[in-house]
């Protein structure tokens, strides 16, 4: 019965435990390349690997796959660590592929000595041309049979930067007729005369992914190395390299593949996300419109909501696109339980209560969160002049309009029942003020018969003289189509939503004055909002995390 709830990755592990693995053998890793910030796709991989670590009480390493100094930076290393920690996971060891450069080099020398690697001195275009096609074998390089001595000498020169970039590469010597094209003498090292963020100028050659990854797994005794499906054809090479560097009884890691996760209306590729930053389409990697973990955090997503999302979509064997509405559902569910309710008016119109005493004010009790008994209540000021949402009033409306109209009653949340009496218009014919009367006996929670009276609509409001202003950033999808990078012919930048950010000034109840960055609220009937990291009491900034699906009934 328990079997059913296991995903296919867990099934592989369970099988291994039955056959020849001990529980202590289990060890996993999450291996990001520090060439950008982590995104929601990485969250799936993080939750998979660290989740297995929690489930089997096994260590999980955080391994930086830092083999390409052209694209990698310390800033990205720091951001990745911050994001994994924020999600609530703890790695056993912080590792770097660059820590293994010497070991990898020594192994490469061994491979050369055993006739399994050679220095090729052809331009990369020629090497590519000789690869053949899936149906035709490739051609051997004229340098394939170089002597071991010459190979060793050239390889050392490459390492020291005594040759030029692009002059030579080190290739594995496998089989130019292999059915798997990746086995046709793949490149192991290239010369890059670039400074590395960790090894400085120690190395003028850098290993390629296939050569570095499995060997890093082996060095760390990783039992299961999970990667995305596009690496399935690499598995043969992964195993070939492992076989060459280990002895037959060594414990060897296993590469297994799962489907890359895609989210609708966005892109999950560090390279493309970097473009959005560089072109100024978004303000930064943590712009709240970005599908990065730091962008989601700044937008108001919680670790719990992201984990819930990853858990809900699970692990798949085939690629597909997950609708962003599922992610939004996860954050709504979480914030519904935890976010204090407050009143904020986005697009105000003045409401004057003509029979309310001039100059008077009172503080009314408002429940903080109906979903959480322990959340308590707060006091909100009420007075003769209020703001309500423009869209909550119509001079004339049909019977389905349960908001304010002339001659009809609605309740003001936490306050009184009011009745629309007349409108005052400005010179342009726009509504300047709505005049209404209130029923003084109808105060919410007062226990009077009048307070229990049922009226169709309930509106949020703020007291005009007490309200504070805040900048509110209304975010929408960054792309107008579901899969902006699906069409290879078209540039995904053509699908940018020009209205992905709208900034307004809103009017808030005064208690929000001292709210702190990352604090979260439900603006009742509007949505969930959090305080931006750049907000201060003098310049309040709120980000809309997500709209409310439903407005409350009463
Ligand atoms: P990107 O194209 O965004 O750079 P990547 O796969 O090159 O993606 P890495 O930093 O190498 O990024 O990824 C670290 C780990 O996260 C890898 O194991 C990778 O397979 C996994 N991963 C990356 N993107 C996704 C995704 N969209 N869904 C699931 N796992 C992913
Ligand atoms: Mg990668
Ligand atoms: Mg990448």
């Amino acid at each position: 019965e328990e079997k059913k709830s296991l995903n296919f990755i867990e099934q592989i592990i369970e099988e291994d435990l039955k056959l020849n693995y001990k529980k202590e053998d289990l060890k996993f890793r999450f291996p990001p390349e520090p060439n950008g910030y982590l995104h929601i796709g990485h969250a799936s991989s993080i939750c998979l690997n660290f989740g297995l670590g929690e489930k089997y009480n096994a260590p999980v390493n955080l391994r930086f796959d830092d083999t390409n100094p052209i694209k990698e930076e310390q800033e990205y290393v720091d951001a990745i660590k911050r994001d994994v920690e924020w999600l609530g996971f703890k790695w056993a060891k912080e590792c770097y592929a660059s820590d293994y450069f010497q070991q990898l080099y020594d192994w490469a020398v061994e491979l050369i000595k055993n006739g399994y690697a050679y220095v090729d001195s052809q331009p990369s275009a020629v090497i590519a041309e000789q690869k053949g096609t899936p149906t035709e074998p490739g051609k051997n390089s004229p340098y394939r049979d170089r002597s071991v001595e010459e190979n060793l000498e050239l390889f050392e020169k490459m390492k020291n930067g005594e040759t030029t970039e692009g002059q030579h590469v080190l290739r594995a010597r496998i089989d130019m007729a292999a059915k798997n094209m990746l086995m046709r003498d793949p490149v192991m090292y290239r010369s890059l005369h670039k400074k590395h963020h960790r090894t400085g100028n120690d190395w003028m050659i850098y290993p390629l992914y296939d050569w570095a990854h499995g060997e890093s797994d082996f060095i760390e005794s990783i039992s299961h190395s999970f990667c995305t499906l596009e690496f399935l054809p690499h598995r043969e090479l992964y195993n070939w390299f492992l076989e060459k560097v280990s002895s037959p009884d060594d414990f060897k890691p296993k590469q297994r593949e799962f489907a890359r996760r895609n989210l609708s209306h966005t892109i999950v590729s560090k390279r493309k996300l970097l473009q959005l930053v560089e072109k100024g389409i978004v303000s930064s990697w943590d712009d709240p419109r970005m599908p990065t973990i730091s962008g989601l955090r700044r937008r108001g997503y919680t670790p719990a909501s992201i984990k819930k999302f990853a858990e809900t979509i699970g692990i798949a064997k085939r690629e597909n696109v997950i609708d962003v509405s599922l992610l939004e559902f996860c954050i709504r569910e979480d914030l519904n339980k935890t976010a204090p309710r407050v009143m904020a008016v986005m697009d105000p119109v003045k409401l004057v209560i003509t029979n309310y005493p001039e100059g008077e004010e009172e503080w009314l009790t408002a429940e903080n969160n109906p979903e959480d008994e322990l959340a308590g209540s707060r006091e909100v000021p009420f007075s003769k002049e209020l703001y309500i949402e423009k869209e909550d009033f119509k001079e004339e409306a049909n019977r389905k309009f349960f908001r304010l109209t002339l001659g009809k009653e609605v309740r003001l949340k936490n306050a009184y029942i009011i009745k629309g009496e007349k409108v005052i218009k400005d010179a342009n014919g726009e509504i300047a003020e709505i005049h209404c009367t209130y029923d003084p006996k109808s105060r919410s929670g007062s226990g009077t018969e009048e307070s229990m009276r049922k009226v169709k609509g309930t509106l949020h409001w703020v007291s005009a003289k007490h309200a504070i202003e805040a900048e509110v950033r209304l975010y929408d999808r960054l792309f107008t189509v579901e899969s902006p990078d699906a069409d290879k012919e078209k540039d995904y930048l053509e699908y940018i939503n020009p209205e992905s950010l709208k900034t307004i000034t809103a009017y808030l109840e005064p208690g929000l004055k001292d709210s702190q960055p990352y604090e979260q609220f439900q603006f009742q009937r509007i949505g969930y909002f959090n305080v931006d990291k750049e907000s201060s009491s003098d310049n309040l900034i709120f980000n809309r995390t997500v709209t409310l699906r439903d407005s409350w009934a009463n």
Side-chain angles (χ1 to χ4, degrees):
E1 196 188 57
E2 195 195 312
K3 196 99 202 203
K4 255 193 213 146
S5 63
L6 297 180
N7 63 44
F8 77 92
I9 293 282
E10 290 165 338
Q11 282 174 25
I12 290 170
I13 294 171
E14 295 290 333
E15 282 303 308
D16 286 340
L17 285 173
K18 264 190 224 149
L19 291 171
N20 54 348
Y21 283 58
K22 294 193 291 292
K23 246 187 146 161
E24 308 82 77
D25 293 335
L26 297 182
K27 194 170 184 184
F28 311 103
R29 91 286 174 259
F30 171 64
E33 181 180 357
N35 62 344
Y37 282 55
L38 297 179
H39 51 62
I40 187 72
H42 293 113
S44 273
S45 176
I46 293 171
C47 291
L48 169 68
N49 287 294
F50 284 94
L52 289 170
E54 284 172 3
K55 178 171 173 143
Y56 293 102
N57 196 20
V60 184
N61 287 349
L62 174 61
R63 158 129 41 85
F64 290 99
D65 216 343
D66 57 344
T67 55
N68 181 0
I70 298 172
K71 294 185 189 158
E72 297 160 4
E73 287 175 30
Q74 187 60 39
E75 178 200 342
Y76 298 140
V77 170
D78 297 338
I80 288 168
K81 286 165 65 176
R82 208 159 47 230
D83 289 347
V84 175
E85 270 177 341
W86 178 75
L87 282 173
F89 294 115
K90 287 203 164 52
W91 50 86
K93 275 177 84 179
E94 180 180 331
C95 305
Y96 294 83
S98 57
D99 284 346
Y100 313 137
F101 281 174
Q102 185 62 49
Q103 175 68 80
L104 291 168
Y105 180 78
D106 294 343
W107 274 330
V109 166
E110 282 303 302
L111 259 62
I112 292 174
K113 286 182 180 164
N114 295 328
Y116 290 126
Y118 63 95
V119 173
D120 197 343
S121 307
Q122 304 182 98
S124 60
V126 176
I127 293 177
E129 225 174 90
Q130 291 168 347
K131 275 256 149 149
T133 67
T135 49
E136 281 170 71
K139 269 217 307 263
N140 285 354
S141 161
Y143 298 99
R144 200 170 193 267
D145 294 316
R146 255 181 174 145
S147 70
V148 169
E149 290 67 33
E150 195 184 352
N151 277 323
L152 289 175
E153 197 187 310
L154 281 170
F155 188 44
E156 193 178 347
K157 280 193 175 152
M158 284 170 67
K159 179 191 88 159
N160 296 332
E162 292 160 14
T163 58
T164 56
E165 284 188 10
Q167 200 182 347
H168 312 284
V169 291
L170 186 76
R171 296 176 74 180
R173 195 165 180 277
I174 309 179
D175 179 5
M176 288 305 290
K179 250 179 97 185
N180 181 348
M181 301 269 291
L182 291 164
M183 299 299 280
R184 296 183 186 175
D185 292 11
V187 174
M188 295 169 66
Y189 278 98
R190 56 185 170 159
S191 296
L192 279 180
H193 298 178
K194 294 273 161 19
K195 192 171 170 191
H196 185 279
H197 65 103
R198 294 188 82 245
T199 59
N201 290 315
D202 290 355
W203 297 89
M204 292 290 110
I205 50 169
Y206 289 92
L208 271 82
Y209 175 90
D210 288 306
W211 171 236
H213 202 88
E215 284 46 60
S216 301
D217 289 337
F218 178 59
I219 291 167
E220 293 173 22
S221 326
I222 301 303
S223 60
H224 297 79
S225 174
F226 298 111
C227 58
T228 38
L229 271 184
E230 69 272 23
F231 288 100
L232 182 58
H234 295 244
R235 200 203 275 184
E236 191 180 354
L237 182 55
Y238 181 99
N239 291 336
W240 190 90
F241 279 135
L242 280 181
E243 191 193 289
K244 295 293 170 281
V245 304
S246 64
S247 27
D249 324 327
D250 281 338
F251 180 85
K252 284 188 254 328
K254 233 181 212 192
Q255 176 188 301
R256 289 295 178 270
E257 306 80 15
F258 65 99
R260 191 169 274 276
R261 286 309 197 175
N262 303 298
L263 189 66
S264 79
H265 300 92
T266 192
I267 45 181
V268 282
S269 151
K270 281 179 270 165
R271 183 177 60 80
K272 292 174 186 167
L273 294 174
L274 174 63
Q275 270 208 326
L276 299 179
V277 177
E278 284 180 338
K279 289 187 186 296
I281 292 165
V282 296
S283 62
S284 55
W285 280 99
D286 72 349
D287 185 301
R289 290 167 292 179
M290 290 282 267
T292 51
I293 293 177
S294 53
L296 292 167
R297 170 168 65 231
R298 190 168 169 193
R299 176 81 169 254
Y301 278 82
T302 57
S305 66
I306 294 173
K307 286 183 191 169
K308 183 69 198 257
F309 172 73
E311 198 180 292
T312 307
I313 63 177
I315 300 300
K317 291 187 184 180
R318 233 187 283 163
E319 242 190 83
N320 64 352
V321 179
I322 312 289
D323 201 285
V324 66
S325 60
L326 179 63
L327 184 63
E328 293 172 348
F329 172 80
C330 292
I331 188 61
R332 269 193 206 105
E333 280 230 308
D334 192 18
L335 293 179
N336 181 41
K337 285 181 245 135
T338 59
R341 275 56 171 167
V342 293
M343 293 195 283
V345 174
M346 305 285 112
D347 185 17
V349 58
K350 191 170 270 184
L351 183 88
V352 181
I353 303 171
T354 51
N355 60 337
Y356 195 84
E358 194 76 48
E360 200 149 303
E361 66 180 49
E362 61 186 306
W363 289 72
L364 304 172
T365 302
E367 188 181 23
N368 285 335
N369 187 350
E371 301 288 323
D372 178 5
E373 277 178 32
L374 301 174
S377 60
R378 67 190 186 287
E379 307 278 287
V380 290
F382 186 84
S383 63
K384 190 180 179 78
E385 295 194 355
L386 311 173
Y387 291 129
I388 63 166
E389 300 285 354
K390 259 187 200 144
E391 63 168 26
D392 280 341
F393 176 77
K394 273 189 194 168
E395 282 182 73
E396 283 165 56
N398 66 23
R399 280 193 288 158
K400 284 189 186 141
F401 187 74
F402 295 136
R403 306 180 207 178
L404 187 63
T405 65
L406 295 181
K408 288 250 182 67
E409 285 187 327
V410 291
R411 173 170 290 286
L412 294 176
K413 181 75 183 168
N414 306 310
Y416 299 94
I417 293 173
I418 56 164
K419 184 173 170 192
E421 303 288 357
K422 72 169 185 187
V423 291
I424 310 288
K425 294 194 176 165
D426 64 17
N428 304 320
E430 299 281 337
I431 296 175
E433 290 179 356
I434 303 160
H435 285 195
C436 65
T437 50
Y438 84 124
D439 175 353
K441 294 205 180 104
S442 66
R443 184 162 55 81
S444 301
S446 62
T448 61
E449 207 172 297
E450 289 85 348
S451 72
M452 318 272 201
R453 208 144 57 73
K454 284 263 176 277
V455 289
K456 275 277 160 62
T458 303
L459 309 185
H460 63 276
W461 52 272
V462 290
S463 165
K465 78 167 173 221
H466 298 92
I468 54 171
E469 288 184 20
E471 176 181 331
V472 170
R473 296 175 181 170
L474 304 171
Y475 297 106
D476 200 351
R477 293 166 178 181
L478 191 49
F479 292 92
T480 54
V481 295
E482 189 182 284
S483 302
D485 54 357
D487 187 348
K488 302 283 170 254
E489 304 290 292
K490 257 192 149 176
D491 189 351
Y492 59 93
L493 295 173
E494 286 179 35
Y495 300 112
I496 294 282
N497 175 7
E499 283 164 21
S500 62
L501 169 60
K502 204 174 137 203
T503 302
I504 60 166
T505 300
Y507 293 81
L508 279 45
E509 51 176 84
L512 288 168
K513 179 81 186 159
D514 295 318
S515 44
Q516 297 299 308
Y518 297 104
E519 262 193 90
Q520 301 184 286
F521 300 95
Q522 184 195 89
F523 289 0
Q524 285 178 298
R525 298 177 68 229
I526 310 280
Y528 292 101
F529 291 76
N530 84 342
V531 183
D532 190 69
K533 66 173 190 182
E534 285 165 2
S535 175
S536 67
S537 296
D538 307 326
N539 184 27
L540 282 169
I541 306 168
F542 285 82
N543 297 316
R544 182 171 70 195
T545 308
V546 67
T547 54
L548 285 187
R549 190 184 18 196
D550 310 307
S551 58
W552 27 259
N554 202 353

